[in-house]
């Protein structure tokens, strides 16, 4: 999950994903959703059903989800929809209601910058694209938002590898580390119907000698860049009593 830089995204209401990786993915059935531990499948399903309005490789979205909100269930790395990250600390809640309660506490304490859901969309910069802060947890909305933005970054940078890097950060060292994590995830944690698909998706992450920082942007960027230290200073400006109460609430209500 990123706590360094986040970028702007938009949500499409169209009903289908024109992904490049229709053969990739894990098998699942609706009956499994009755089990809380299987809620990760909601993230997987959202990749197939969210309307993005642009072609996005599903493997890259799945890799981003695993890096952003991944947790281990039954010795398997899976994305988790009820995930919150605030000030660099992640919280994986067992239910949506518990995650919504955390969002309410954050807002009540005056916090704006926190990451939400399967793809860890940042509330400060992207909350305006959702009906409410809590609706950012909805897997379909969350993934559609992430996918549309990833496609826009591909348009700006000309390469999926650069787009993935910018999804996390435009600071070179952070971008490089994040892209390496996505490569490992695509290699180790995704399953494919055909072996050659893995090679295809890894090739998409290679951008030759051109880096994202060297790309001349075609349009004005729809993003706001901030640093972890800036977020910390902003949060420190909250009233001392409010912050103390917030910490007590987190200690009591999180696991």
């Amino acid at each position: 999950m990123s706590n360094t830089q986040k970028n702007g995204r938009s949500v499409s209401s169209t009903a289908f994903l024109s992904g490049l990786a229709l053969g990739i993915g894990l098998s699942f059935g609706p009956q499994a959703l009755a089990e809380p531990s299987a809620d990760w499948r909601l993230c997987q399903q959202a990749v197939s059903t969210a309307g993005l309005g642009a072609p996005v490789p599903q493997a890259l979205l799945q890799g981003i989800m695993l890096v952003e909100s991944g947790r281990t269930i039954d010795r398997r790395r899976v994305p988790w929809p009820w995930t919150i990250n605030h000030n660099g600390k992640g919280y994986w809640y067992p239910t949506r209601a518990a995650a919504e309660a955390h969002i309410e506490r954050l807002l009540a304490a005056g916090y704006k910058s926190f990451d939400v859901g399967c793809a860890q969309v940042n509330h400060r910069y992207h909350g305006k694209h959702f009906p409410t802060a809590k609706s950012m947890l909805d897997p379909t909305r969350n993934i559609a938002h992430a996918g549309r933005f990833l496609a826009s970054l591909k348009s700006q940078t000309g390469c999926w590898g650069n787009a993935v890097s910018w999804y996390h950060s435009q600071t070179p060292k952070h971008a490089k580390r994040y892209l390496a994590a996505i490569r490992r995830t695509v290699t180790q944690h995704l399953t494919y119907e055909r072996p050659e698909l893995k090679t295809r998706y890894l090739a998409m992450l290679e951008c030759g000698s051109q880096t994202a920082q060297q790309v001349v942007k075609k349009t004005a960027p729809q993003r706001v860049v901030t640093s972890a230290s800036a977020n910390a200073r902003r949060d420190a400006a909250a009233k001392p009593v409010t912050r103390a109460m917030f910490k007590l609430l987190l200690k009591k209500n999180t696991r």
Side-chain angles (χ1 to χ4, degrees):
M1 285 173 282
S2 169
N3 67 340
T4 53
Q5 298 177 8
K6 288 290 176 178
N7 301 292
R9 309 164 195 174
S10 60
V11 178
S12 169
S13 60
T14 54
F16 106 138
L17 167 68
S18 53
L20 304 181
L22 298 179
I24 180 177
L26 307 171
S27 59
F28 47 83
Q31 68 276 9
L33 298 181
E35 297 294 331
S37 63
D39 280 6
W40 65 270
R41 298 175 188 269
L42 295 170
C43 294
Q44 293 284 70
Q45 288 177 328
V47 172
S48 298
T49 61
L52 303 183
V56 176
Q58 291 188 23
L60 302 190
L61 277 178
Q62 290 182 344
I64 285 172
M65 287 193 304
L66 286 176
V67 171
E68 293 285 347
S69 66
R71 61 182 297 192
T72 301
I73 296 179
D74 296 330
R75 293 180 293 181
R76 185 180 207 170
R77 192 71 175 172
V78 297
W80 193 249
W82 323 134
T83 302
I84 306 292
N85 182 283
H86 175 242
N87 203 24
K89 183 174 181 179
Y91 301 85
W92 287 262
Y93 285 96
T95 64
R96 177 169 179 166
E100 288 181 344
H102 190 161
I103 290 175
E104 290 178 349
R105 293 193 295 271
L106 286 166
L107 294 174
Y111 294 103
K112 302 294 185 182
S113 185
F114 50 89
D115 302 333
V116 179
C118 302
Q120 290 294 276
V121 179
N122 185 270
H123 171 262
R124 175 180 291 277
Y125 305 118
H126 321 307
K128 64 183 179 181
H129 298 293
F130 295 81
T132 65
K134 291 189 290 187
S135 73
M136 295 176 71
L137 284 166
D138 179 77
T140 299
R141 291 181 183 274
N142 193 279
I143 294 302
H145 194 74
R148 282 287 301 275
F149 178 61
L150 192 63
S152 73
L153 288 178
K154 165 61 163 56
S155 178
Q156 291 180 48
T157 66
C159 172
W160 285 114
N162 290 336
V164 168
S165 298
W166 275 21
Y167 184 90
H168 174 73
S169 174
Q170 289 186 33
T171 300
K173 64 178 182 179
H174 298 317
K176 182 178 180 180
R177 184 167 58 244
Y178 188 76
L179 183 58
I182 296 297
R183 285 196 187 101
R184 287 193 300 270
T185 300
V186 169
T187 301
Q188 300 173 10
H189 296 293
L190 300 185
T191 58
Y192 305 85
E193 287 187 350
R194 302 190 307 278
E196 64 269 20
L197 288 175
K198 180 188 294 187
T199 301
R200 180 190 303 177
Y201 297 122
L202 288 173
M204 288 180 183
L205 295 174
E206 300 301 325
C207 300
S209 60
Q210 187 180 47
T211 68
Q213 285 69 37
Q214 295 170 326
V215 174
V216 177
K217 300 172 190 176
K218 299 177 182 178
T219 60
Q222 295 181 341
R223 68 186 185 284
V224 180
V225 177
T226 187
S227 65
S229 60
N231 281 336
R233 288 194 299 272
R234 187 183 300 108
D235 288 343
K239 294 180 180 180
V241 174
T242 301
R243 288 180 58 79
M245 292 174 63
F246 173 74
K247 290 179 180 179
L248 287 174
L249 284 171
L250 279 186
K251 183 176 181 181
K252 180 179 180 181
N253 292 285
T254 60
R255 58 188 178 91

